[in-house]
Amino acid sequence: MAFKGTINRTVKDLEVQIENMGGHLNAYTSREQTCYYAKVLEKDVPKALDILSDILQNSNLDQAAIERERSVILREMQEVEGMPDEVVFDHLHATAFQHSSLGRTILGPAANVRAITRENLADYIAANYTAPRMVVAAAGAVDHDALVKATEKSFAKLPSTPGTAADLVKASPAIFTGSDVRIRDPDQPMVHFAVAFKGASWTDPDSVPLMVMQTMLGAWDKSSSAGKNSAPRLAQTVAANGLAESYMAFNTNYSDAGLFGVYAVADSQKSNLEDLAWIIMHSMTELCYQVSEEDVARAKNQLKASLLYSNDGTTGAAEEIGRGMLVYGRRMPKAEMMARIDAVDAESVKAVAGRFIMDQDIAVAAMGDTQFLPDYTWLRRRTYWLRY
């Protein structure tokens, strides 16, 4: 609705002004953050900032446009239902964070979309689009002082109510629940499943070691050129034995919680799901007991490179600045992040794994022909080793 006209600009005005600048205007929503962004030439930065401030503060929320967008969102929800990875991760959050807001999907239930009114939208904007909860970030050909002045002018009428995102988190904290959800569909050719431990929040001191641990577990795809020669031992085992079509380790951070685990896709006819589940659980639990400095050093170098690559462009840099301001209250310098990565060694990896993995509850989400995927008790038992 933000792009469907404002008090000062019609839909056509917005489209023409952006097109005449040769710019790009878009938005996206994650579970904790919403981002509106524009990409334009240097000379058009003030105009782009004025457009962003206008759509955020003065959307007219036309009723006819709301009805049109309602059907668009319902179609998007149907498309998402056809994406197995999205479905599995939605169910993973729902089962891991039961009865808390972090367990809800981004789009929400279809009943809410059908019932939402103009007043609901206006109330949401008034309550959430406030100065304490908003960051204006820019990267590229931008004069900082000029941007600050333009922001002060464009967002002068922004409400300054004292409520912050931290207040919302405190009112509805994320509570992790060890649990299991499976969508049994024998007709699907692939089995998609994710196993996750409770991870760290953005500001947790152990968030960086978990990033290194994610890189150590790595990712692999059957179509990748690396084949059986991928560096992570988990990837080598999966590739050499044909256990899966693909897998990836994930480490998702939120304000007061996180998810750390592995997502895998396997052919239900060809793969031995028990073997795949065993090597995944074994590889994660192994981080509590056996970690080589060589593997840690490799993972640290790969992590540094991926962080630098992600900021190779104005879009990634601006997102990193905005996210840093929201989660840390400052932009973390690259030198500080690299120093925190360098401080991770084999012993610290084992210590962090002992906190998050060893004998800890897990959340499991699976979809497809799951009859041969081991049950929750089997998986939970493999969060520790019996050693004599």
Side-chain angles (χ1 to χ4, degrees), residues 157-201:
K157 297 179 181 179
L158 203 65
S160 298
T161 51
T164 64
D167 296 328
L168 290 180
V169 172
K170 186 176 180 180
S172 179
I175 301 173
F176 185 88
T177 303
S179 52
D180 186 312
V181 59
R182 305 187 185 209
I183 305 171
R184 178 83 183 277
D185 186 354
D187 294 329
Q188 286 196 23
M190 298 292 174
V191 177
H192 302 254
F193 73 96
V195 180
F197 295 87
K198 181 182 179 181
S201 67

Side-chain angles (χ1 to χ4, degrees), residues 33-48:
Q33 298 162 5
T34 299
C35 175
Y36 295 83
Y37 65 94
K39 297 180 70 173
V40 296
L41 297 173
E42 180 181 8
K43 63 182 179 65
D44 295 318
V45 169
K47 189 180 296 184

Side-chain angles (χ1 to χ4, degrees), residues 35-80:
C35 175
Y36 295 83
Y37 65 94
K39 297 180 70 173
V40 296
L41 297 173
E42 180 181 8
K43 63 182 179 65
D44 295 318
V45 169
K47 189 180 296 184
L49 184 63
D50 181 62
I51 291 175
L52 286 173
S53 68
D54 192 25
I55 65 176
L56 286 172
Q57 298 176 96
N58 304 311
S59 289
N60 55 24
L61 303 177
D62 180 68
Q63 187 62 45
I66 291 175
E67 296 303 322
R68 288 195 299 272
E69 289 304 302
R70 200 189 306 275
S71 60
V72 171
I73 296 173
L74 290 171
R75 284 198 301 274
E76 287 181 359
M77 295 175 74
Q78 291 176 345
E79 292 175 3
V80 169

Side-chain angles (χ1 to χ4, degrees), residues 370-387:
T370 60
Q371 63 175 322
F372 297 116
L373 183 67
D375 62 19
Y376 183 87
T377 304
W378 188 98
L379 294 166
R380 177 66 175 82
R381 162 61 185 82
R382 279 146 188 83
T383 60
Y384 59 91
W385 291 359
L386 292 178
R387 311 179 82 192

Side-chain angles (χ1 to χ4, degrees), residues 77-320:
M77 295 175 74
Q78 291 176 345
E79 292 175 3
V80 169
E81 287 296 321
M83 302 176 185
D85 55 334
E86 294 283 349
V87 174
V88 168
F89 275 96
D90 277 346
H91 283 285
L92 181 66
H93 281 79
T95 195
F97 300 111
Q98 298 176 31
H99 309 298
S100 60
S101 57
L102 200 55
R104 301 170 189 158
T105 63
I106 294 172
L107 291 174
N112 283 7
V113 176
R114 294 188 181 96
I116 201 165
T117 64
R118 185 185 188 282
E119 289 70 28
N120 295 144
L121 297 176
D123 290 344
Y124 181 88
I125 292 171
N128 294 282
Y129 286 14
T130 61
R133 302 180 59 186
M134 192 177 294
V135 171
V136 177
V142 177
D143 181 275
H144 178 75
D145 293 333
L147 181 70
V148 170
K149 291 179 181 178
T151 301
E152 290 174 345
K153 178 182 178 182
S154 298
F155 290 91
K157 297 179 181 179
L158 203 65
S160 298
T161 51
T164 64
D167 296 328
L168 290 180
V169 172
K170 186 176 180 180
S172 179
I175 301 173
F176 185 88
T177 303
S179 52
D180 186 312
V181 59
R182 305 187 185 209
I183 305 171
R184 178 83 183 277
D185 186 354
D187 294 329
Q188 286 196 23
M190 298 292 174
V191 177
H192 302 254
F193 73 96
V195 180
F197 295 87
K198 181 182 179 181
S201 67
W202 282 108
T203 55
D204 192 298
D206 290 334
S207 61
V208 173
L210 280 174
M211 294 166 67
V212 175
M213 291 160 60
Q214 176 198 2
T215 308
M216 291 176 67
L217 293 171
W220 179 82
D221 189 283
K222 189 176 181 179
S223 61
S224 67
S225 57
K228 301 177 183 179
N229 300 312
S230 298
R233 281 180 288 177
L234 174 57
Q236 293 175 15
T237 305
V238 170
N241 295 280
L243 297 178
E245 300 295 300
S246 65
Y247 86 86
M248 70 169 186
F250 58 87
N251 175 43
T252 308
N253 304 108
Y254 297 110
S255 294
D256 62 338
L259 288 175
F260 176 86
V262 173
Y263 166 73
V265 181
D267 189 319
S268 59
Q269 303 301 318
K270 298 179 181 179
S271 296
N272 188 325
L273 289 177
E274 185 171 331
D275 286 349
L276 177 59
W278 186 90
I279 190 59
I280 287 174
M281 295 305 300
H282 178 85
S283 298
M284 287 195 285
T285 307
E286 186 179 29
L287 296 172
C288 304
Y289 300 94
Q290 299 175 172
V291 179
S292 72
E293 292 291 356
E294 181 181 356
D295 287 343
V296 174
R298 172 190 54 77
K300 290 195 295 186
N301 288 334
Q302 289 184 339
L303 178 59
K304 290 178 184 177
S306 66
L307 290 175
L308 293 175
Y309 293 153
S310 67
N311 289 333
D312 186 19
T314 55
T315 303
E319 288 179 344
E320 186 264 335

